[in-house]
Every structure is written in C-alpha cells, then in structure tokens.
Amino acid sequence: MNDKEPIARLEHALEQLGAEHEPPRGWEARVLAAVEPKPRRRWWWLAVPALAVVLAVVLLPALLSPRPGALALTIERIPGPTRARGDTQVGDRIHATARGGAGHRAIWVYRGETDLVAVCPGGTGCSASGGALALDFALDRIGSYHVIALAGAAELPVPHGAYDEDLAAAMAAGATDQRQVIEVQ
Amino acid sequence: MELESIGTPPGGDRETGDESVPQGSDPDRDIVELIHRGDVRGALTTLMRRHGTAVYRYCREELHDRTLADDVHQQIFIQAFRDLTRFAGRSTLRTWLLAIARHRVLDAAKARRRAQAHIEEDDTADAPDPGPPPGERLDEARLQQAMITCLRRLGEHVRGILVLRYQQGLTFEELADMYRQKPGTLQARVARALPTLRRCIEARTGGTV
C-alpha cells in the first residue's frame, strides 16, 4: 500500500475539521455591543448622589434624635395663708421648675448677692421628675431673691454662696442659665 | 517520511464561507489601514466577517464544548478589538488573531480542567467506534468521527499544531512565530503525529484510512 495516500487523506480530513460548525447567529452584534464605549459620566453625576448620601448619614441622626430643649425656668408664686393676691410678700412660697437644657441641672436661689438660701439638688424642697427639676421654698425674709436655673453637659460646680462667683464657675463649666429676680416686700 | 511532503499549505483556495481577502503582503492589509485611520470598530467588523467562522471552528475543535466555544469565540474578538491599535505588523493579522485565539482557548481549557478536576474523566472517548469489517476503508464520516476522538488523545500541544496547520492553514513559519519554535521542529512534530493519528484511527475503527 502506498504509505503517502492515507496520510494525504488524513491531511484532507484535518482540513475539513469542524467545517459543519457555524458561529451562533448574532454573535457579531454581541461583540460590537460588548466593545461599545460606555457613555462617560461627569464626575459630579456621581458626586451629587454621593454627597446626598453623606449628608443624610451625617445630618439625619442629628435631626431625628431627640434634641434637648433650651433651658427654661418657670416660677409659680404661691400666696401665703393670710394673703390672696398682690405683690410677693414674706410668707409666700415659690415653686421653681427647670426644664430642658443639657444633662446636669440645678436651681440655686440667692437672697441678695451673697446669701445662698436654697439649692437643688441637694437641698430641702427639691424634687426631680420627668426630666424636670423642681424646688419649693418659702420666702421668709424681705429682699431680692435671685432664682437661677442652670444646665450643663458637664457636672455643675458646687455653689459656695457668692452669687457672682458661683455663676462664673458655672459658666466656666459650660453651663447655660436662666434667671429671674423676685422682690419680696 | 520526507518532511517537505507533509501537507500542502491549505491557503486561500479553500472555501471557508468567509469574505475573500485582498491581495498584498498581508491579506488583511485593508483592515490594518482601517486601524491606522482610527476606525477600529470598522476594522473589527471586517475582521469578524472575514475570520469569524474560521476562528469559531478552531474554538469548537479545541474545546469540544459548544457553549464554551461560543463564549471564547466572542472573547477573542473583544480582546482583538482592545489590542488592534497595538498590532505592530510583525505577523499577518490573521496569525496575530489566531495567536489570541490560541491563548484564550488554552485559558478556557485550563479553567475547565480546574473546575472539573473532581469529576472523573468521561471514558466514552475510549470506547471503540463501531466500524466496518476489519481492513475495509473508512468512509469520510467515520474517519472524521474517529479522528476527532484520536486528536484528543494526541495531547494539547500536538493537537493545537495540527489544527492550526491544517484546519486554519497556517504555514510552519507562522506556527513558528506563534509557538516560538523553529519551523523544522514543528514540521517534524507534525510528521510524527500523522502516523500516530492514523494508527489510533485504525485501531479504534478496525478499518483503514
């Protein structure tokens, strides 16, 4: 047998290898679609939503979290048993309430500039409920009563009796204050 | 066997169903000119029209998996599009494209081997083909069927050379560029592989080539 003939036949068969196969329909379009340049987005198209997300993350908790209200001082005057109405007089009582402000609160009452007559907390007639601090005390002498409500994130200083100095110490500790003066005749 | 007698280069006289190529040092010179003019998309379109079918048949033969071949075939032209502007003309554009195809096919085959490492080899390839009575000459269909099976047993390297040489019609010089080996070395490999292929086919079928 001629040995070259089978080899030639093999070579021919190799040339015909896979001749029945055709690429899948639409393949050229798929390749062209794959190489299609993607539209370039301007950076700020990405920056705008990114910024919105950042703002939402930063601001939303602050907006949604319960904000402590500003410090408020309310004073209710309670007339003594011998008097129904009119100016505040010896024998009347006051009920002072401090609400809002930061975590630490206090009510200090001075008669004149140097006489600390009531402190809350830590004194008689002081009570705390519902996030408010209340002080009830009797106006037993004539004079000018300075009622000070204080609130601060840090612990408030202990008052020593000198109105200006105590208030200055509280301010130095970052406290805010509300003040009212009651003239007792 | 004389090396020179191994295979008439299949060349451009074969009918591939693809667009006929223009004449010149590189038959795809027109595509190269499109690239130089900046029309890379146009170059890709012509490249796909002209060589798409041949590259697809190469993928099918090398991968024996229609779905995988479909995917790799498209990836080859996507990569070609990305690299077209770097085509330096050291080979013909067709050889360059087939080099891309070869690498993508090898990558895909390697990935498939990794994925299927735990699955036992399909032994249907080793089952003998039902053949004609011993010694009878094989018909074309049976020859093709047995050849596909026997090519798979030749090993990746030799099979690739045979497919690129005969199915794709690359010259030994073009193969040498692609494989970075001497043309004579590759020619000798083919010369040794063909009788091996013949013996395998005849052993499987009982017929003669």
Side-chain angles (χ1 to χ4, degrees):
Chain A
M1 179 194 247
N2 180 359
D3 212 33
K4 287 186 178 176
E5 188 188 327
I7 295 299
R9 193 170 178 224
L10 263 187
E11 289 175 332
H12 178 72
L14 282 165
E15 287 171 21
Q16 299 303 314
L17 205 58
E20 72 278 17
H21 298 311
E22 293 293 330
R25 189 183 294 268
W27 75 275
E28 290 174 322
R30 286 192 286 278
V31 170
L32 288 173
V35 301
E36 192 71 32
K38 306 287 183 292
R40 287 184 64 190
R41 294 186 176 195
R42 296 178 190 277
W43 67 268
W44 47 266
W45 277 103
L46 294 175
V48 167
L51 188 62
V53 169
V54 169
L55 285 175
V57 167
V58 171
L59 295 180
L60 269 182
L63 291 173
L64 296 177
S65 62
R67 272 182 80 189
L71 177 63
L73 171 64
T74 55
I75 293 179
E76 182 186 359
R77 298 175 195 192
I78 305 168
T82 59
R83 198 174 59 81
R85 51 187 4 188
D87 296 333
T88 306
Q89 295 182 1
V90 172
D92 293 350
R93 302 181 67 82
I94 64 169
H95 186 78
T97 306
R99 288 191 177 83
H104 298 271
R105 296 189 194 91
I107 300 173
W108 300 339
V109 182
Y110 295 85
R111 184 172 52 237
E113 299 291 326
T114 57
D115 193 2
L116 181 64
V117 295
V119 293
C120 180
T124 56
C126 178
S127 63
S129 67
L133 198 61
L135 175 63
D136 191 88
F137 76 102
L139 301 169
D140 57 357
R141 289 190 191 182
I142 293 171
S144 295
Y145 289 77
H146 299 271
V147 183
I148 308 169
L150 295 158
E155 195 165 297
L156 297 168
V158 176
H160 296 290
Y163 173 84
D164 289 335
E165 289 175 16
D166 291 346
L167 193 59
M171 297 300 108
T176 57
D177 71 296
Q178 290 289 322
R179 284 172 268 178
Q180 287 192 31
V181 179
I182 301 169
E183 297 292 340
V184 178
Q185 296 175 2
Chain B
M1 180 183 291
E2 293 176 13
L3 295 184
E4 289 73 19
S5 70
I6 304 295
T8 305
D13 57 341
R14 286 194 304 149
E15 290 183 7
T16 61
D18 291 334
E19 182 179 302
S20 60
V21 295
Q23 300 300 308
S25 56
D26 185 342
D28 292 316
R29 194 177 51 192
D30 57 332
I31 300 179
V32 177
E33 285 171 3
L34 284 173
I35 299 165
H36 289 160
R37 287 206 300 268
D39 186 5
V40 184
R41 191 182 164 85
L44 173 68
T45 304
T46 310
L47 195 69
M48 288 194 295
R49 194 164 57 236
R50 193 169 293 164
H51 298 296
T53 301
V55 171
Y56 181 72
R57 288 173 180 165
Y58 170 70
C59 294
R60 284 292 296 265
E61 186 48 46
E62 286 288 291
L63 294 167
H64 292 286
D65 180 325
R66 181 175 184 164
T67 305
L68 186 58
D70 289 356
D71 184 52
V72 171
H73 179 234
Q74 290 187 36
Q75 293 301 322
I76 289 165
F77 283 91
I78 290 169
Q79 184 182 336
F81 175 79
R82 289 174 185 152
D83 294 347
L84 269 174
T85 52
R86 291 199 290 273
F87 174 66
R90 284 192 289 269
S91 65
T92 62
L93 192 61
R94 179 164 163 272
T95 307
W96 174 84
L97 178 65
L98 284 169
I100 292 176
R102 177 171 164 258
H103 284 114
R104 298 306 298 235
V105 161
L106 288 174
D107 287 347
K110 195 183 295 180
R112 181 175 58 186
R113 273 199 301 275
R114 279 199 298 269
Q116 296 181 337
H118 63 288
I119 300 174
E120 284 187 20
E121 187 78 17
D122 180 6
D123 60 0
T124 55
D126 291 329
D129 297 327
E136 190 172 313
R137 193 170 189 262
L138 291 166
D139 61 37
E140 291 299 324
R142 209 173 298 279
L143 173 62
Q144 280 286 338
Q145 189 180 356
M147 189 173 64
I148 288 169
T149 304
C150 286
L151 272 174
R152 294 175 71 176
R153 302 178 76 176
L154 273 183
E156 204 169 71
H157 185 69
V158 177
R159 184 181 67 240
I161 295 170
L162 284 178
V163 172
L164 287 169
R165 165 67 179 162
Y166 290 103
Q167 186 201 51
Q168 298 299 316
L170 293 191
T171 65
F172 284 112
E173 285 71 23
E174 288 171 323
L175 283 169
D177 278 346
M178 196 180 285
Y179 281 85
R180 300 187 188 285
Q181 291 182 4
K182 292 178 180 173
T185 304
L186 294 169
Q187 201 169 359
R189 281 181 189 277
V190 170
R192 283 196 300 271
L194 288 176
T196 305
L197 188 61
R198 177 190 171 189
R199 282 194 296 274
C200 172
I201 292 169
E202 290 180 343
R204 287 186 65 80
T205 59
T208 58
V209 175

